[in-house]
Amino acid sequence: MTKKMWGGRFENETNIDAESFTSSIDTDKALYSFDILGSIAHVEMLSKQKIISSIEKNKIIKGLKKVKDEIDSEKFIFSHKLEDIHMNIEHSLAKKAGNAGKKVHTARSRNDQVATDMKLYIKHETSGLRDSVVNLQRNIIKKSEKNINVIIPFYTHLQRAQPILASHYLLAFFEMFLRDIERIDQTIDRMDQNPLGACAGSGTSFNIDRAYTSKKLGFKEATRNSIDSVSDRDYVIDTIYSCSLLMMHLSRFCEDLINWNSSEFNFIKIGDEFTTGSSIMPQKKNPDILELIRGKCSLVYGNLISIMTNLKGLPLSYNRDLQEDKAPLFSAIKTTSDCVQIFSKTFNSIEFNTKHIAEKMNVGFLTATDLADYLAKNNVPFREAHHMTGNIVAYCEKKKKTLDSLSLVELQKFSKIIQKDVFNYITIEKSVSSKTSFGGTSKANVKKMITKYKKILSK
Ligand code: ARG
């Protein structure tokens, strides 16, 4: 009979189906390097506190490094019988370091161990994700500078609204990604407390030094309540939530680009390298990558719902339910990282169809608001100016004319207040350059914002 590490009080061997059902090694082996880091810090502390000898500490660390090498080089054999990554590593360590190895679990439990591993994992993985988002932001700045003269309509209700700089539109996403980065940073800042030493949930009678392990592992401080330490998974939720919002922003970006890529909009061309064809319709060039990102957003939302539901109603403190926190966390971070990276590349391949866009800018009376503003600036109450402009638009529709192609005589039929300076207000370019209010779309503003964003990125 193979003895379980916890097998002292058991008479019968675990049922083989129960064993494979409870095993999490296929998933949590992703934590191995963090588990080993945690164990090294732990035994260094145990030795400093004279709970184990320094010879034992050295043996353990040597053994742990061997285990790491074996896993790195894919020589390590993971066993379902050993349940999870913690016991797989401990078991192998005991073989390598003998009795010293069997002391590694002094003054700790898998409950504080797994929470520590998860936090270390999140810190590491989100830093890669954060870098990818910053890289995407750099690409957005580059494209905004390159297309600083391109004017497109923006939409409300998917109806043409007003002219804006294409760069202004792109920079709207820069702002969203800035908030996403802030959210990641806040998540890390909030979870920057080390659970190691909370043990099973009540702390320990050994004279451990939690401040020491916290520092060794790069945590700001130690967690303050041992029960909370082993039952808290807020940081998992925070992380998946941060991923969810990032995915939502990407998905909205994708949605617009997919629309813009259609013949109906025809605003952009996506590079051949980032599109795919149809198996039946030879003419097709599909924006599949963007569609997949939109689709994968739902997977990350699923991860969020999964962890939120897991924790709702869970009694304090540790329950095995919590083992199921890993799949959604790993999946959310991986999906989001993959999506940001491939999006960035696809985005770089996009070019604006400037000629087509410019030709269509006279569709949709995009400067009607500018005309109403003109009247209001000449002392017509805005509500009346709005109504009057509405009448002018209706007239244009009937006559199949654009606003700026009307003659002054035609315009004056609606109001004698209108003078020939009106044409300084109702052309597309003038409309854009007039939006100088803070945060508005004038080129001067957008250029200033680009300078500001570059400064933020260089920090
Ligand atoms: N594999 C477990 C998990 O991921 C580790 C903690 C196990 N603790 C326990 N008391 N069974 O949650």
Side-chain angles (χ1 to χ4, degrees):
M1 164 169 166
T2 33
K3 263 261 167 284
K4 291 276 182 220
M5 299 182 89
W6 37 254
R9 59 107 70 216
F10 290 81
E11 279 179 15
N12 301 335
E13 230 179 306
T14 319
N15 173 282
I16 185 153
D17 295 331
E19 204 164 64
S20 79
F21 182 75
T22 50
S23 163
S24 58
I25 188 63
D26 291 340
T27 307
D28 61 24
K29 62 181 172 199
L31 295 173
Y32 79 95
S33 58
F34 306 104
D35 197 75
I36 289 171
L37 273 181
S39 291
I40 292 176
H42 181 63
V43 296
E44 279 175 339
M45 182 277 292
L46 291 179
S47 153
K48 178 183 88 70
Q49 296 300 95
K50 313 241 180 299
I51 298 168
I52 61 172
S53 72
S54 98
I55 295 173
E56 286 168 332
K57 171 201 78 176
N58 290 335
K59 275 191 188 161
I60 295 174
I61 293 180
K62 208 169 142 204
L64 284 169
K65 287 189 174 155
K66 265 195 214 148
V67 174
K68 180 163 185 309
D69 283 347
E70 282 178 19
I71 303 180
D72 283 343
S73 58
E74 291 173 25
K75 287 194 190 106
F76 192 92
I77 298 165
F78 291 102
S79 158
H80 283 277
K81 281 198 179 310
L82 293 162
E83 253 181 72
D84 57 22
I85 187 64
H86 323 295
M87 292 208 290
N88 268 271
I89 291 176
E90 193 185 327
H91 183 261
S92 169
L93 174 68
K95 280 208 229 145
K96 292 177 172 59
N99 275 341
K102 291 183 190 162
K103 290 195 175 184
V104 68
H105 213 53
T106 313
R108 81 168 183 199
S109 145
R110 277 186 294 158
N111 296 352
D112 58 342
Q113 197 181 351
V114 72
T116 308
D117 290 4
M118 292 281 277
K119 284 190 171 184
L120 292 173
Y121 176 91
I122 290 174
K123 279 180 150 192
H124 183 264
E125 295 296 314
T126 54
S127 118
L129 174 61
R130 191 188 190 285
D131 290 347
S132 309
V133 180
V134 171
N135 179 50
L136 170 57
Q137 286 184 305
R138 291 219 166 87
N139 295 335
I140 291 176
I141 294 290
K142 261 188 232 149
K143 201 163 288 292
S144 301
E145 284 186 308
K146 188 174 165 216
N147 293 283
I148 194 72
N149 293 317
V150 178
I151 297 176
I152 58 171
F154 85 97
Y155 293 74
T156 64
H157 314 272
L158 209 54
Q159 305 287 314
R160 295 184 147 231
Q162 294 176 313
I164 55 159
L165 290 188
S167 309
H168 193 54
Y169 172 91
L170 297 180
L171 293 170
F173 284 96
F174 187 99
E175 287 282 348
M176 290 175 235
F177 295 131
L178 213 50
R179 292 196 292 274
D180 290 324
I181 286 178
E182 205 175 272
R183 234 179 315 274
I184 292 173
D185 290 346
Q186 287 165 346
T187 296
I188 298 304
D189 195 48
R190 193 160 33 245
M191 53 153 256
D192 204 7
Q193 292 180 325
N194 176 24
L196 195 62
C199 301
S202 67
T204 177
S205 59
F206 285 100
N207 177 30
I208 61 172
D209 183 348
R210 296 192 58 207
Y212 179 85
T213 46
S214 301
K215 192 153 175 237
K216 281 251 155 197
L217 292 173
F219 287 102
K220 204 165 55 192
E221 59 196 1
T223 51
R224 292 181 294 258
N225 180 297
S226 55
I227 292 284
D228 181 47
S229 306
V230 296
S231 65
D232 170 34
R233 291 295 183 274
D234 290 2
Y235 53 93
V236 177
I237 298 181
D238 273 348
T239 305
I240 304 182
Y241 175 67
S242 300
C243 288
S244 298
L245 285 206
L246 176 46
M247 284 302 293
M248 181 268 282
H249 293 146
L250 268 188
S251 181
R252 290 184 76 174
F253 209 164
C254 288
E255 168 69 10
D256 279 347
L257 295 174
I258 291 164
N259 280 333
W260 288 5
N261 183 59
S262 68
S263 321
E264 280 68 20
F265 276 83
N266 199 11
F267 279 11
I268 54 165
K269 238 191 327 284
I270 305 173
D272 276 3
E273 329 78 89
F274 295 102
T275 52
T276 54
S278 154
S279 60
I280 172 167
M281 297 170 280
Q283 85 283 14
K284 292 290 282 287
K285 205 181 105 178
N286 297 328
D288 291 34
I289 292 175
L290 303 175
E291 293 166 61
L292 272 169
I293 295 173
R294 206 173 49 187
K296 284 175 193 286
C297 179
S298 67
L299 299 183
V300 178
Y301 285 5
N303 295 145
L304 183 63
I305 294 298
S306 159
I307 185 65
M308 295 277 282
T309 314
N310 183 314
L311 284 149
K312 172 199 166 297
L314 204 63
L316 294 191
S317 60
Y318 178 84
N319 299 270
R320 195 63 178 268
D321 314 42
L322 291 177
Q323 184 163 285
E324 298 302 331
D325 61 355
K326 284 159 208 72
L329 175 72
F330 298 171
S331 156
I333 295 180
K334 173 153 180 24
T335 305
T336 310
S337 298
D338 288 352
C339 286
V340 174
Q341 283 170 34
I342 193 72
F343 179 85
S344 227
K345 290 180 183 160
T346 310
F347 176 73
N348 283 348
S349 82
I350 285 172
E351 277 172 30
F352 282 98
N353 298 333
T354 44
K355 198 164 158 264
H356 176 84
I357 297 170
E359 278 165 12
K360 295 278 171 188
M361 282 309 285
N362 58 10
V363 176
F365 311 104
L366 296 173
T367 58
T369 311
D370 301 287
L371 179 53
D373 286 349
Y374 169 81
L375 290 165
K377 282 175 187 165
N378 285 288
N379 218 19
V380 180
F382 183 76
R383 193 45 61 214
E384 271 173 44
H386 184 284
H387 191 79
M388 222 179 263
T389 308
N391 290 337
I392 297 173
V393 167
Y395 172 84
C396 284
E397 270 187 327
K398 221 175 285 157
K399 298 274 174 193
K400 303 213 178 326
K401 285 190 159 188
T402 63
L403 282 177
D404 63 354
S405 70
L406 292 177
S407 68
L408 187 57
V409 179
E410 279 174 302
L411 283 164
Q412 284 178 338
K413 271 193 223 141
F414 294 90
S415 169
K416 288 276 169 270
I417 286 171
I418 301 178
Q419 297 301 314
K420 72 170 189 297
D421 65 340
V422 71
F423 297 108
N424 286 335
Y425 291 79
I426 58 173
T427 67
I428 296 290
E429 284 73 20
K430 288 278 163 54
S431 165
V432 172
S433 64
S434 73
K435 303 294 163 41
T436 54
S437 59
F438 186 76
T441 192
S442 75
K443 200 191 287 183
N445 270 7
V446 172
K447 281 186 165 169
K448 248 189 248 161
M449 287 317 288
I450 289 178
T451 309
K452 193 172 182 157
Y453 292 144
K454 279 183 170 172
K455 217 179 264 168
I456 293 175
L457 286 182
S458 70
K459 267 190 221 150

